[in-house]
Amino acid sequence: MKVGIFYFTTTGNTEEMAQMIGRALEGKADYEIKAISDVEADDIGSSDLICLGSPAQGTEEMDDTEFMPFYEEHRDALQGKKVFLFGSFGWGDGQYMEDFSELAKGDGLDIVGIHTHLESPDDECAEALAEKVGALL
């Protein structure tokens, strides 16, 4: 199985979560980690599972500077792929990712899981990501 871990980050928290997913996959699956600005259509096409990450922006909204344009551009390529969503937020309860999940499901994506974390990811976050993503292999 090949896993594409693609993320947008502003403070580094979501990037750290992407790295945590990669560490959890070592020896279990082939994977690549890329900022969404570096992702190409072939990266999506060659992946069986896509892990998409974005922090909350504003008042618990998806980033509209890079993440949402990436999603709009690659929405069709994501069809038929298992998609796991992850991200960090600084206030609220992570509802921004639940809202995005519903949008993506409405667009026909197969959302297989979500994990959000308040502020900087820690050992508890790493364990939860490893468990959730590991269950998808």
Side-chain angles (χ1 to χ4, degrees):
M1 172 176 274
K2 183 168 180 197
V3 181
I5 306 166
F6 310 135
Y7 67 90
F8 169 73
T9 193
T10 53
T11 64
N13 289 341
T14 305
E15 180 178 15
E16 177 59 26
M17 292 174 78
Q19 297 296 329
M20 288 174 167
I21 294 170
R23 287 191 294 274
L25 293 173
E26 287 180 9
K28 298 175 184 163
D30 292 329
Y31 67 92
E32 66 178 337
I33 301 172
K34 288 187 173 186
I36 60 170
S37 58
D38 297 329
V39 174
E40 298 183 15
D42 288 346
D43 298 323
I44 296 169
S46 66
S47 297
D48 303 299
L49 170 64
I50 306 289
C51 298
L52 283 180
S54 178
Q57 301 292 311
T59 55
E60 286 233 36
E61 299 164 354
M62 291 303 288
D63 169 71
D64 64 358
T65 62
E66 286 190 47
F67 186 86
M68 288 307 293
F70 167 85
Y71 174 72
E72 293 296 327
E73 180 180 347
H74 297 286
R75 178 177 39 216
D76 291 342
L78 293 165
Q79 297 290 326
K81 304 289 181 179
K82 293 180 186 178
V83 180
F84 177 81
L85 303 173
F86 67 97
S88 63
F89 58 97
W91 57 89
D93 62 3
Q95 184 63 40
Y96 78 104
M97 194 61 80
E98 295 289 340
D99 294 343
F100 177 72
S101 173
E102 290 305 312
L103 170 78
K105 287 177 185 176
D107 288 339
L109 270 63
D110 182 12
I111 305 300
V112 295
I114 298 173
H115 184 77
T116 55
H117 190 78
L118 178 63
E119 300 292 344
S120 299
D122 54 16
D123 290 343
E124 181 181 316
C125 179
E127 289 172 17
L129 286 167
E131 181 178 320
K132 289 179 178 181
V133 175
L136 300 172
L137 300 179

